[in-house]
Amino acid sequence: MAESVISSKLRKATNVFAEQHKVSRSERGEVLGSKGGFRGCTIWFTGLSGAGKTTISFALEEYLVARGIPSYGLDGDNVRTGLNKNLGFAQEDREENIRRVAEVGKLFADSGVVALCSFVSPYNKDRDLARELHKEVGLPFFEVHVSTSLEECEKRDVKGLYKKARAGLIKGFTGIDQPYEAPINPELAINTVNRSVDDCVQQIVEILQTNEILPRSVVEKVIDLTVPEESLEKAVAEAEDLPAVEITKLDLQWLQVLGEGWASPLTGFMREREFLQCQHFNCLLDDGVTNQSVPIVLPVSTEDKEKLASCKQITLRYNGVAKAIIRDPEFYEHRKEERCARQFGMFNDGHPYIKMINESGDWLVGGDVEVLGRIVWNDGLDQYRLTPNQLRAKFREMHADAVFAFQLRNPVHNGHALLMNDCKRQLVERGFEKPVLLLHPLGGWTKDDDVPLGVRMEQHKAIMDEGVLDPESTVLAIFPSPMMYAGPTEVQWHAKARMSTGANFYIVGRDPAGMPHPDPPKRDIYQPTHGGKVLGMAPGLTQLEIIPFKVAAYDMKAKAMAFFDPHRKEDFDFISGTRMRGLARSGVMPPDGFMAPKAWNVLSNYYQSLGTQ
């Protein structure tokens, strides 16, 4: 930074008296942002020029604002073009620059905003002054040392300033001919080398959550409930001696969902308070707002409830094998009709999931869960059952800068592929260099007439083998959740769960999670466009961009699946699922371009096999 020629001559104001606000911080906090509660603080980023201070600060600002937390980034260069444009780079000017910014940060923090101050601020005494200004008025202050080395900063030299300083064109440049005093005891030190911006942001978010600045719902940390390997033997031994309840295959699937962290921040099957929040608000409300539109509960019989009600720990067994421990269990009434009416908008035994609810226990038990090792199914597909943390690692390995997820429970035809490839095109046009598709079929319970998971996975792999979807930028994995056929209520769950993988875009289709009404006349239970509309308004999903479904049909002129053009509707053939299944059973090929031939053969062989059973 260039040294000023003339230092500012500043005079102190006299006869100035501080006025007390009539509005308290807690009152401001209740109306500022969407999370409620006072969250004002200052985060002070210090480090060499080029260390990454502003990059991290602005990414954190974007992250917080997207989650309803008001924040504002104050950058050194920006402030010097306005508030501090009369200051140069002599030591006394640097001191005044930091003092002013600290005062501005304090005002932002006092208003309930998270102030993000990114300044080289090379001297400990200046940063100590900034901290003291906040301490005097009881405002939190966090010093973050972006500790990127001089060598690395000089290598980056985005603005070309180090090169000029080395050439003697800039005098008084921090790190070259002016010292930088590293913080002695910062709240956090971040070395940005080989670290993504998102990782750096999460480090700061976790510090803020630990210090009760942010609610738990803001932290994108997957809560894995699986007992660590080193503690597993001891936990299994404990489970063997505890009172136990036998669970169903459906319960085990939900246990897997909880254990792997898909339902974070849930720490187990829902207690009554969480269940009521879910049923009435489609959200968890304690410690921030988290979308959770479907109940994840464990039904038990009256007999089991009476046997276990006084127990402090319970073992969950599947086929006699201990699968988990519930700590501090809470039993409450399973009001089945009310649950179904709120979740499905109906109470009809013709709906297969409602039928299972009706046949389940009359009590629900909630409590913190410890899962006794990774749940596997030994069906040849476990390698596709990647946890949220494994998927995050996979996306990092692929250097993905955007992840767009597609939820499906049906075979993929070229219309689906058209939508996914068009989404990738849009992301590239928006400047993303490596968008990655998460092709994420649902792998839990589905109704009897749906195509089984094994067949679907084989069909999806065939789609990728034939290059309809790019295997280099597509991750095929299984989402372990059961299917509920709860329409717009359930589609929120599908979207929220994918957020745990780091996905930031979600493709929503027509009538997501829907099914035909079980009673005549022939109609759908849910209006087909409501799923997409609800996702665009749902609380707790604002950080996930929803990509709306475009209607695709078979273009008879182009002999390919294409987006429907109403101006030439006579050229389009809508091939229904019923018609597709009929063709497959008959061994008849669909029109060219409807589905990749290898993928069609998988589907056709399955449907023809049904006729021989």
Side-chain angles (χ1 to χ4, degrees):
M1 299 293 178
E3 185 174 3
S4 64
V5 178
I6 302 174
S7 179
S8 308
K9 302 297 182 184
L10 303 172
R11 291 181 293 177
K12 281 190 175 181
T14 58
N15 301 315
V16 176
F17 303 93
E19 295 288 344
Q20 293 297 315
H21 286 276
K22 305 296 185 189
V23 178
S24 71
R25 288 174 183 167
S26 60
E27 288 171 324
R28 282 194 206 104
E30 289 305 316
V31 298
L32 193 63
S34 65
K35 297 297 182 185
F38 182 79
R39 310 196 184 282
C41 68
T42 291
I43 304 171
W44 193 279
F45 296 88
T46 177
L48 296 171
S49 177
K53 300 180 299 298
T54 297
T55 299
I56 297 171
S57 169
F58 282 4
L60 178 58
E61 179 186 28
E62 183 179 26
Y63 180 97
L64 294 176
V65 169
R67 287 153 181 81
I69 305 293
S71 58
Y72 191 83
L74 293 163
D75 168 71
D77 286 355
N78 291 353
V79 168
R80 282 186 176 274
T81 62
L83 176 67
N84 291 348
K85 66 181 180 181
N86 64 325
L87 299 178
F89 292 92
Q91 183 166 338
E92 59 269 29
D93 284 9
R94 284 179 178 269
E95 291 175 1
E96 176 60 16
N97 180 54
I98 297 306
R99 188 197 67 78
R100 289 185 192 177
V101 172
E103 292 284 3
V104 171
K106 183 180 77 172
L107 292 173
F108 269 102
D110 190 48
S111 75
V113 172
V114 178
L116 308 166
C117 302
S118 306
F119 294 83
V120 173
S121 46
Y123 302 117
N124 277 317
K125 66 181 181 67
D126 295 338
R127 298 192 300 268
D128 289 345
L129 171 64
R131 183 187 294 275
E132 191 60 32
L133 287 172
H134 287 72
K135 185 178 179 181
E136 287 172 355
V137 292
L139 287 167
F141 181 92
F142 301 89
E143 186 176 30
V144 175
H145 181 204
V146 185
S147 60
T148 313
S149 67
L150 175 61
E151 180 184 11
E152 177 64 24
C153 291
E154 202 164 349
K155 191 187 301 180
R156 297 174 182 175
D157 202 13
V158 178
K159 300 174 185 176
L161 300 177
Y162 282 99
K163 185 176 180 181
K164 290 179 180 179
R166 290 291 186 191
L169 300 177
I170 298 178
K171 301 295 184 184
F173 191 83
T174 304
I176 303 299
D177 56 356
Q178 196 168 70
Y180 176 80
E181 298 173 3
I184 298 168
N185 190 27
E187 277 70 20
L188 181 64
I190 299 176
N191 188 340
T192 60
V193 177
N194 297 323
R195 296 283 304 281
S196 72
V197 174
D198 287 346
D199 283 348
C200 297
V201 166
Q202 281 304 312
Q203 273 192 283
I204 302 166
V205 167
E206 288 181 25
I207 289 284
L208 296 178
Q209 199 268 325
T210 300
N211 285 273
E212 300 182 344
I213 301 296
L214 301 180
R216 186 176 60 177
S217 60
V218 171
V219 184
E220 278 190 5
K221 186 174 182 179
V222 176
I223 300 177
D224 191 317
L225 306 179
T226 310
V227 174
E229 190 67 36
E230 62 272 16
S231 306
L232 186 56
E233 185 178 350
K234 182 180 178 182
V236 170
E238 179 190 3
E240 293 298 334
D241 293 332
L242 293 174
V245 62
E246 185 74 15
I247 62 174
T248 66
K249 185 177 180 180
L250 183 69
D251 299 330
L252 186 63
Q253 291 172 354
W254 282 120
L255 182 64
Q256 182 175 11
V257 166
L258 288 168
E260 294 177 358
W262 296 99
S264 297
L266 280 179
T267 57
F269 287 105
M270 288 179 172
R271 298 178 185 275
E272 187 176 40
R273 179 179 174 85
E274 293 165 324
F275 175 70
L276 290 174
Q277 290 175 358
C278 167
Q279 287 269 275
H280 290 271
F281 309 111
N282 280 1
C283 290
L284 301 176
L285 301 177
D286 295 332
D287 204 7
V289 176
T290 302
N291 190 284
Q292 184 59 54
S293 59
V294 300
I296 301 181
V297 293
L298 181 60
V300 294
S301 67
T302 300
E303 180 185 358
D304 283 328
K305 182 257 183 185
E306 291 175 351
K307 180 179 72 173
L308 301 169
S310 62
C311 298
K312 295 298 182 184
Q313 292 90 23
I314 299 171
T315 295
L316 304 183
R317 294 185 179 275
Y318 177 67
N319 289 339
V321 179
K323 291 295 183 180
I325 297 173
I326 291 188
R327 306 283 184 190
D328 190 23
E330 174 189 346
F331 293 87
Y332 54 102
E333 186 181 359
H334 190 185
R335 299 181 62 83
K336 299 173 187 179
E337 182 175 357
E338 182 183 358
R339 172 187 172 184
C340 293
R342 293 188 182 281
Q343 183 175 345
F344 301 93
M346 66 188 314
F347 187 60
N348 186 321
D349 254 7
H351 186 295
Y353 204 94
I354 292 176
K355 185 173 186 292
M356 291 194 298
I357 290 174
N358 243 346
E359 293 170 351
S360 68
D362 292 333
W363 297 88
L364 298 175
V365 58
D368 290 350
V369 162
E370 296 173 14
V371 181
L372 302 175
R374 183 82 182 275
I375 292 172
V376 295
W377 299 93
N378 298 315
D379 57 357
L381 298 174
D382 284 325
Q383 72 270 27
Y384 291 102
R385 292 184 174 93
L386 302 179
T387 68
N389 281 329
Q390 287 174 323
L391 284 167
R392 283 175 178 261
K394 180 71 173 175
F395 298 143
R396 283 195 296 269
E397 181 186 309
M398 296 173 73
H399 304 290
D401 56 358
V403 176
F404 58 110
F406 189 68
Q407 140 86 30
L408 65 166
R409 72 172 196 270
N410 293 312
V412 174
H413 58 61
N414 287 2
H416 298 128
L418 176 67
L419 181 64
M420 290 181 264
N421 287 325
D422 185 66
C423 180
K424 181 179 179 181
R425 176 193 61 77
Q426 291 180 50
L427 294 175
V428 170
E429 287 181 356
R430 286 167 58 171
F432 293 99
E433 295 180 1
K434 192 66 186 294
V436 170
L437 166 65
L438 173 59
L439 186 62
H440 215 200
L442 184 137
W445 174 88
T446 56
K447 54 190 174 70
D448 291 341
D449 60 350
D450 280 347
V451 178
L453 176 62
V455 178
R456 285 185 280 130
M457 289 298 290
E458 187 181 355
Q459 196 265 354
H460 299 341
K461 286 184 283 183
I463 288 284
M464 294 172 65
D465 290 344
E466 296 216 13
V468 178
L469 295 173
D470 177 17
E472 296 300 314
S473 61
T474 301
V475 174
L476 175 61
I478 294 172
F479 176 45
S481 174
M483 189 75 200
M484 289 160 280
Y485 307 93
T489 298
E490 183 177 358
V491 76
Q492 295 174 66
W493 158 242
H494 291 166
K496 172 262 172 78
R498 275 34 179 253
M499 284 164 48
S500 65
T501 70
N504 37 18
F505 297 91
Y506 185 81
I507 303 172
V508 60
R510 178 190 176 279
D511 193 22
M515 63 169 277
H517 200 289
D519 296 335
K522 185 179 178 181
R523 64 201 190 279
D524 291 329
I525 298 176
Y526 309 105
Q527 205 280 343
T529 66
H530 282 183
K533 290 175 180 177
V534 166
L535 272 188
M537 300 182 283
L541 298 178
T542 52
Q543 60 269 44
L544 192 68
E545 185 173 334
I546 306 304
I547 308 295
F549 185 83
K550 293 182 182 179
V551 177
Y554 185 73
D555 187 332
M556 294 180 288
K557 281 192 173 179
K559 296 191 182 304
M561 295 297 286
F563 292 125
F564 177 65
D565 181 357
H567 296 103
R568 53 185 193 90
K569 57 185 178 183
E570 65 280 357
D571 295 333
F572 287 89
D573 182 7
F574 286 87
I575 300 174
S576 67
T578 301
R579 183 173 155 200
M580 183 185 75
R581 288 188 289 272
L583 291 172
R585 284 193 189 96
S586 304
V588 177
M589 290 294 292
D592 288 344
F594 173 73
M595 186 183 291
K598 184 177 176 182
W600 177 259
N601 287 337
V602 171
L603 200 59
S604 182
N605 290 340
Y606 164 69
Y607 277 112
Q608 288 180 63
S609 73
L610 296 180
T612 63
Q613 293 176 5

